[in-house]
Amino acid sequence: MEYADRINRIPPYLFAEIDKTITSKRKSGVDVISLGIGDPDIPTPKEIVESLSLASQKTVNHRYPSYEGMIGFRDACAVWMKNRFNVELNPESEVLTLIGSKEGIAHMPLAFVNPSDVVLYSNPGYPVYEVGTILADGIPVPIPLESENDFKPDLSAIDIKTARKARIMHLNYPNNPTAATVEKEFFSEVVSFAKEHDIIVCHDAAYSEVSFDGYKAPSFLEVDGALDVGIEFHSLSKTFNMTGWRIGFAAGNPEVIAGLGKVKQNVDSGVFQGIQEAAITALNLPATIIEKNNRIIQARRNLMVDGLSRLGWKVPKPKATFYLWIPVPDGSPSIDFAKKVLDETGVVVTPGVGFGKYGEGYIRIALTQSEQRLKEALDRLEKLE
Ligand SMILES: Cc1ncc(COP(=O)(O)O)c(C=O)c1O
């Protein structure tokens, strides 16, 4: 069977390889501690689960949902954006329900990219920016995130010809995998750049609510002119520990929202209304629920940063996300180091190169295990040769 060229152009999925190794280790009796995957271990708040339970019994919810999502959910998104970021949105035209933000990010290029158009995407980064572009026959061009620039792209370094061919630019703050954050001034620079080159900005805000020490991440849509040039992807996955539920939303420029909506009308039939009703409950929960969650992750962050620093690893303390982005301690290629750690200790860390070539030289640790398991991981890492 021959695959289409666009499938063959998708880069190898390093994480599938790692998953295979983990499965075989577990089969051979190793107690693997995975610090690899960004999937919260803490359960979804009970209010949300109870809300789904009730909503699932309403027969009206057993039928096809609307393509763009229930107006009740989109209203709740708009109110949440207003309360959280002071961003005013029209829920009818400026909010679109998504089957998780991944789905929206993956479909964006199908709406706006013609063959040979360029899509700029931050690298290292969430692999879907690049793969979504490939699936739309566009040309993905990485913009490096480097420590010298606090993992912010240097927009002035983007070649002018490339910028002219670009239709979309994917950015993500708080950032996966580097855990970097930005302030509004950076987003203002992005708006000017996008206006100058007529580029649609897609800002991925999946980790906007996971932050510590009083830090609050800004929304791209807060800055003047942002609504003219782009949209923001929001996810309930990390905010409310709902990765399995598959719900998120896109918010921003109405023409961009309409274009993405057009693709979706033709490839999916929306999100189960029971889940949308539960998501309304989530968005209306008091902020204390998110704060409590963040306190748990903050304690884990402190534990790991202190513990790994004692081992001589250089570990920056992130203000947001549940990731630690760490220079490879022995300077070896990140894949070799991750393999060695797994073989010698049964602990899974992710090689930075899995997030793109500019991720080489780093490993990522996800704080998605209990303190007890993290302590066990630290004990084992201490014995690393
Ligand atoms: C940066 C980033 N964006 C988007 C997503 C997708 O989230 P979801 O599709 O669950 O909303 C993830 C998931 O890990 C992510 O790390």
Side-chain angles (χ1 to χ4, degrees), residues 38 99-103 105 126 129 172 174-176 204-207 234-238 242-243 246-248 323 364:
I99 312 169
S101 60
K102 179 180 188 178
E103 178 263 305
I105 293 166
Y126 187 50
Y129 312 136
N172 160 227
N175 183 261
N176 173 20
D204 175 354
Y207 296 89
H234 282 271
S235 168
L236 279 81
S237 290
K238 321 284 162 144
M242 292 175 74
T243 47
R246 312 311 305 135
I247 184 154
Y323 301 116
R364 191 193 75 176

Side-chain angles (χ1 to χ4, degrees), residues 11 35 40 52 65 114-115 139 154 157 208 263 304 314-315 324-325:
L35 309 180
L52 172 66
N114 285 316
I139 301 173
D154 177 1
S208 68
V263 173
M304 286 307 274
K314 290 198 170 52
V315 192
L324 303 179
W325 186 241

Side-chain angles (χ1 to χ4, degrees), residues 79-238:
V79 170
W80 186 83
M81 290 292 289
K82 170 79 185 151
N83 292 340
R84 170 65 177 88
F85 301 112
N86 202 22
V87 168
E88 304 259 6
L89 293 164
N90 178 343
E92 295 273 2
S93 56
E94 294 175 334
V95 180
L96 180 67
T97 309
L98 300 173
I99 312 169
S101 60
K102 179 180 188 178
E103 178 263 305
I105 293 166
H107 281 139
M108 256 307 283
L110 283 183
F112 294 99
V113 170
N114 285 316
S116 84
D117 283 346
V118 162
V119 172
L120 300 167
Y121 69 101
S122 52
N123 181 309
Y126 187 50
V128 183
Y129 312 136
E130 182 185 6
V131 174
T133 305
I134 294 171
L135 292 177
D137 292 329
I139 301 173
V141 173
I143 34 179
L145 304 185
E146 289 168 316
S147 66
E148 299 83 79
N149 206 22
D150 299 324
F151 301 108
K152 277 185 296 202
D154 177 1
L155 300 177
S156 65
I158 298 171
D159 165 69
I160 191 90
K161 278 194 200 143
T162 310
R164 279 201 200 118
K165 284 196 217 151
R167 291 290 286 132
I168 291 176
M169 176 159 63
H170 287 290
L171 295 172
N172 160 227
Y173 291 98
N175 183 261
N176 173 20
T178 68
T181 55
V182 290
E183 295 309 324
K184 280 194 265 185
E185 293 69 35
F186 170 72
F187 286 145
S188 296
E189 278 174 44
V190 172
V191 169
S192 307
F193 182 84
K195 286 198 168 170
E196 188 183 339
H197 299 291
D198 197 14
I199 295 173
I200 298 169
V201 177
C202 288
H203 181 244
D204 175 354
Y207 296 89
S208 68
E209 303 316 297
V210 184
S211 61
F212 323 111
D213 307 326
Y215 172 75
K216 285 255 181 202
S219 160
F220 170 68
L221 299 177
E222 279 180 61
V223 304
D224 284 347
L227 212 60
D228 300 334
V229 296
I231 62 170
E232 187 158 77
F233 289 101
H234 282 271
S235 168
L236 279 81
S237 290
K238 321 284 162 144

